[in-house]
């Protein structure tokens, strides 16, 4: 953004504190997408923080729940899941569910957290795919998936926070007063992407992932038949890992991995 | 969005009332893109509703027309066209022409209409393509087409209304008070797409389509030489239907069709 | 947008005054992307105007500079660079750096300038690519480039201004009062694109480009080792010109060129 | 606002077309406040126009009415009342009921109508009083009246439209393109004011006022006992007219009258 | 707002649950203005709820405190004060400190809480006075008090929520889905007013008020000399009570009291 | 706002640099209201800064002037006037004329300038009076004056900037990074007030005031008959000074003066 050797220039730190920050639009997005990876890294002794961008108040089929009650219930469910996974810290930004928007306010909130935790890796939604749809003639019984507008917004907010917000000393200058200085994230992992290039072997943590998901009772109820789908999808991703990268694993989570900084 | 068996859960209706809702940014967008399909289905006794998102007040080369006069003229032209095509109902949302924006206000307006009419199919603009441009070296006499920002906005508003707005009982909860309950659209058709997978044979309704278009005098004047282009394009789409899907038809309208729900 | 033969219709001018308007988000964006082309056309006696959309106040590593001081410094640097390149006119729109947004206010500002200068060609950022990222397994030492949100916004603002804003007599009607009438740009050039189809031979102006860049002391300091990269990239683009188009040149700037109007 | 003799200066018309424009926040506000005056002037052969700023969709005790149905019902009631009173024209601006705000959009809508109708007099809500409250110790059985936020907003919007919007040729310049030129209103009447200085004798039109009010069935139902209050208040205002101004009348409507222009 | 006997009309409840809701812009506003009254009524066995509209993050002389830490500290201080005073419940709306605005979002938040607690009395800031200033010639050593913009905003938000928001079944209709029905507050008390008409004898609770204020360490520190001012002001108000209303008390809090509903 | 003795507390400076900052909505507002006072203080060797909040682009009777041309003309006129009066510095904030709004953006711009210049006195519009209107029966040939919405906005913005913005270290914290620290203005002077309590003798500078006003050719043209009104009004204010305060002067400017800080 400017001359790095100018008098008074502030250098951007590249020394991480946390290993990873996982950012989801709603409570349970991180659980579905990447909890196995979080649990794996946590088992290796690394510090992980999860961030939930919205207040989750649209996440129920029950219309007459009070917003605050639903919000607090879901935050509690998320905290329980994080305990199981070994995630140290959870932050709730409480932007309005269903209306997440990429603007200065949401970008700044993410810049603030990234500067506070200094994660080596940031993991979030891939904002680029809007519709996952098979040809209805070829797959007449399959239905498409419309990517939730909050998911797209969350991914784009994080990317726009990563550059230039987190690294630019003049962006959101009031953060400097609080001691939140420019920091360069090393890697970005995008989940729910159509362009995966990285597979994490979650075979030893898939059970924790399942247990974490089961904390989200308000979302998933108490039946358990949907658990099979988690195993199925994780196995399908492992198969992809074999095909694309020649890697052998039983269960996998898949990401589009992007390098932002390579230490010397 | 949440546990469907929770106490007090509201179920999402999947029973359509109308066959199709066709949503365009401006009066005449639906006429150009899909009037043949609407007329065909109407001839088959199906109920069709058209929705026009903007007030159309920028649609004239005459600067000194009053906005209200132009709006009412165009709405009248649209109603006349719908009469000819057999479309039962037309709704005008009157958002400002040239400034259509994907936000909570526009999404909610669409959610409201979808819940009111419960269409099996929703037909609208494909928001994904921004520029249709041939290589200027290869086609030096062809000019590109920049997709109107209102067209992109309209398509994205509708998609973001379809999920999660129309199906989520907690989205726009005041609609429940008016008796507008969650409803699941079965299919989405996108027009002006670059990814067509579905062709509708409009050979028996192309004359109605032409007559409908001729109602839009404020847009097209009273000359008729542009009519040939309608026949040419419809024939070209029919040719594509042959090549891509092996279907034989004289005139076609083309869509990217997306299945959102498959009844048992 | 409407019947061109209606009584009172205002015709859209297609007669250019300037050869090119180059629009960048920040001071120095045009210098990096297309200064060689501007200098070349200026040497041929053509009139060029540059437009800088933001105030550039986030473009420094020094946090305690006053915004106004940095803005004026950068505008002065840009004016000096334009003098060297032979660019006749520079306009500064001063929208807030780091927060450029595609809305009616920014679109209108561009419509106003295009109608004022009537450029044959508009050159700006390609808004479509968000992330330039190699596979980290294949290129473990390469880092990705996240396209600056202001760059994407600038490109999209310009495209949405080109159609329908600049050509529609009813868009931003108050401009008519100032004598700023509808005008049709002939060609659009997008830089920093991933889809280049046009290469301009800047071999005889690359030295001017370097000198222009050196005016941006607040951004680039006074060291000169980064200059090599300009030569390297320009040579790489020339190599692409050979491969893709069979053209021979030593240094090139590359664009995605889009024809909007072909004179008879 | 500027030098009136400058070359190219546009003069502000002071020649009225309509005698009065009555502007209320909701349908029925003009009926309660000043229908007797409108009817009186209409009987004298003068042209009157009424303007309703909001869509009236919060004006019912029935929660499950559709907004559009309620809006159209109330507009029809208002048109019927105007027919009875002899008011020539009614305009509905349809800003959202309960959320009327003084901003560029609402001010411009009023400027547009004033320039279109050129009323000699504008009649609207007095925005200055927020709370009408007796001392609860002195009047323990009387309750206070909190002025509706839409009423305050409507009055302030109109006043800010009157100066400088309606008279300034550079305000909302696109209106010039439509032939809506600067115009100077002669008098402003404010109703529901605490500072009345003008009393209109409505003795010969109070019956029409009552009949007009009875058109607003959605608001007032079909009972008639509230009619007595209209007579009582009108008589009380007539008494005030005697006390303050020495005028004798049976029934009166009261206003704070403000002169904005005195013809030679 | 509409015909109360219409079919389907929803009646407005007038039966209170809580005795009082005290609404302040910042933590400690209610403590300074009316804690003695709250404590008195609580001692009489009545239920009281306090509401704090902003997050209080600008309430410190220390620039480098993190917003969240300051917010949580102040909320904890407020909860401790409420415990001492006997206030049952505290709600924190967390709108941004220093930027409180009267709009649909803030009004709705207050409507929601009033419908939830159904207080007989609402106590809040008087929004009408902007500047308390003696003539500088007459009182050369006295300084004026500029009313905090958040205080004015808070008062006006509450008043605009009281009418028509809390009583109108069609305002914020989604609240009906949560079981939050129209309710009519009986009395409004405005503090920091210039028009007091009601004095509450706080002689037996002024000690509790002092203790509550002492909880706000982040605002008032640990010195105690400012406590004298509380006694002085309360005695001055008691003196006013004598002069204006003939009431005898040692310490008083003063309000502008407004009756909104008188039970039969 | 908080404990002034807390660890890390930042003290608010009370040491002025400039004697006065005069803030007007448009170029020429300060000239009409208080230029004599500025000139007087400047003659006494005191430093004065003027601030113009809007871009002045609606200040002309000529509709087809380009906004930028009019803005630059008026700024040049203002600079010439300031030269004549001895005012050292002029700042132009360029908010849109006719649409000045009291919000975080405008308040912050004023806080920034006050902290930069540290004026002992701030002089600006009195926002409290909306309409100056005689009774039309008593003064049938006098017309009322509706206070320009920009004037009211400007005054309120300044007052809300003075407290708490300029004095609170946590307000607009990014200003601290630029070295703009909390500062306490000593006195506020409001002009165009209805509540004057302070009269400045401008007898020896009224000629300079006239000359300054004559710089505003775009507003006042080149005729001079309006000059008499300046003398008349200034003499009338001097008469008021005699009546209210017993002061003898030939020409005066009048203000509502408010003390905000009294040095020891």
């Amino acid at each position: 953004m400017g001359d790095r050797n100018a008098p008074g220039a502030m250098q951007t730190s590249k020394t991480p504190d946390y290993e990873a920050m996982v950012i989801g639009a709603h409570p349970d997005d991180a659980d579905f997408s990447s909890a196995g990876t979080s649990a794996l890294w946590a088992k290796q002794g690394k510090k992980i923080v999860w961030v939930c961008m919205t207040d989750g108040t649209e996440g129920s089929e029950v219309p007459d729940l009070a917003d605050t009650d639903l919000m607090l219930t879901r935050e509690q469910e998320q905290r329980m899941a994080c305990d199981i996974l070994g995630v140290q810290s959870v932050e709730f930004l409480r932007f309005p569910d269903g209306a997440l928007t990429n603007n200065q306010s949401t970008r700044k909130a993410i810049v603030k957290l990234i500067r506070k935790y200094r994660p080596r890796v940031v993991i979030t939604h891939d904002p680029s795919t809007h519709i996952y749809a098979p040809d209805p003639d070829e797959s007449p019984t399959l239905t498409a998936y419309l990517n939730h507008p909050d998911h797209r917004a969350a991914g784009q907010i994080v990317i726009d926070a990563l550059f230039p917000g987190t690294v630019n000393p003049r962006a959101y200058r009031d953060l400097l007063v609080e001691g939140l200085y420019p920091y360069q994230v090393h890697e970005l992992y995008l989940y729910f992407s159509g362009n995966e290039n990285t597979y994490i072997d979650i075979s030893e943590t898939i059970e924790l992932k399942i247990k974490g998901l089961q904390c989200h009772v308000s979302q998933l109820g108490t039946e358990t038949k949907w658990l099979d789908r988690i195993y199925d999808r994780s196995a399908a991703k492992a198969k992809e890992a074999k095909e694309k990268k020649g890697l052998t694993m039983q269960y996998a989570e898949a990401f589009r991995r992007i390098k932002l900084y390579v230490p010397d």
Side-chain angles (χ1 to χ4, degrees), chain A:
Chain A
M1 274 80 56
D3 176 14
R4 291 190 188 160
N5 303 313
M10 179 176 279
Q11 303 310 316
T12 298
S13 162
K14 283 148 182 164
T15 310
D17 181 5
Y18 272 60
E19 173 64 13
M21 173 178 285
V22 185
I23 304 169
H26 312 97
D28 84 7
D29 285 338
D31 300 80
F32 274 108
S33 63
S34 55
T37 300
S38 284
L40 181 69
W41 292 352
K43 280 186 74 169
Q44 296 166 357
K46 291 166 181 166
K47 287 192 290 185
I48 314 289
V49 54
W50 280 23
V51 177
C52 180
M53 292 204 71
T54 71
D55 58 14
T57 51
E58 302 218 332
S60 162
E61 309 290 327
V62 183
D64 59 3
L65 277 175
D67 279 340
T68 307
D69 292 345
L70 180 54
M71 176 179 80
L72 295 176
T73 298
R74 295 191 70 183
E75 290 181 2
Q76 191 53 26
E77 291 173 351
Q78 188 64 90
R79 280 199 194 86
M80 288 166 58
C82 285
D83 274 354
I84 288 168
L85 298 166
V87 168
Q88 271 91 338
S89 188
V90 202
E91 297 269 359
F92 297 100
L93 290 174
R94 294 184 174 177
F95 289 105
D97 192 359
L100 195 62
T101 309
N102 181 12
N103 59 30
Q104 291 304 302
S105 164
T106 48
R107 287 184 197 173
K108 183 181 177 183
I110 293 297
V111 167
K112 200 168 172 177
L113 290 177
I114 290 177
R115 291 192 183 182
K116 180 177 170 192
Y117 288 97
R118 298 203 316 275
R120 199 186 67 79
V121 176
V122 164
I123 303 180
T124 194
H125 301 266
D126 189 327
S128 57
T129 308
H130 288 207
I131 302 176
Y132 303 88
D135 185 310
D137 293 330
E138 294 166 16
S139 315
T141 62
L142 282 186
T143 56
Y145 178 68
L146 304 182
N147 201 355
H148 194 301
D150 286 352
H151 292 188
R152 297 183 342 247
Q156 199 60 55
I157 290 163
V158 173
I159 290 171
D160 288 349
L162 284 171
F163 183 78
T166 58
V167 297
N168 186 348
R170 289 184 69 83
Y172 313 115
R173 256 162 288 170
D174 53 321
L175 298 181
L176 302 180
V177 182
E178 288 188 41
L180 298 170
Y181 300 112
Y183 168 71
Q184 173 66 62
V185 168
H186 295 206
E187 292 193 316
L188 171 65
Y189 282 50
L190 299 175
Y191 55 73
F192 300 157
S193 172
N195 298 294
E196 286 87 354
N197 60 20
T198 294
Y199 297 84
I200 305 293
D201 185 344
I202 62 160
S203 307
E204 62 173 296
T205 54
I206 193 166
E207 295 302 326
L208 289 174
K209 178 174 183 165
I210 295 288
K211 281 186 188 148
L213 278 161
Q214 286 179 306
C215 296
H216 295 276
V217 174
S218 72
Q219 304 307 297
L220 302 164
T222 52
E223 292 193 29
T224 55
K225 62 186 171 191
W226 57 269
L227 296 177
D228 293 344
R229 269 192 292 163
I230 304 296
Y231 287 105
D232 292 351
R233 281 189 210 161
S234 306
K237 287 295 171 192
K239 202 173 146 217
E240 255 182 57
K242 186 73 186 176
E243 291 161 4
K244 280 209 211 163
K245 294 280 179 178
L247 299 169
T248 304
M249 45 186 85
Q250 189 178 5
Y251 297 115
E253 284 172 346
F255 303 94
R256 179 179 184 198
R257 181 160 60 104
I258 292 162
K259 286 200 96 71
L260 301 173
Y261 171 71
V262 178
D264 304 323

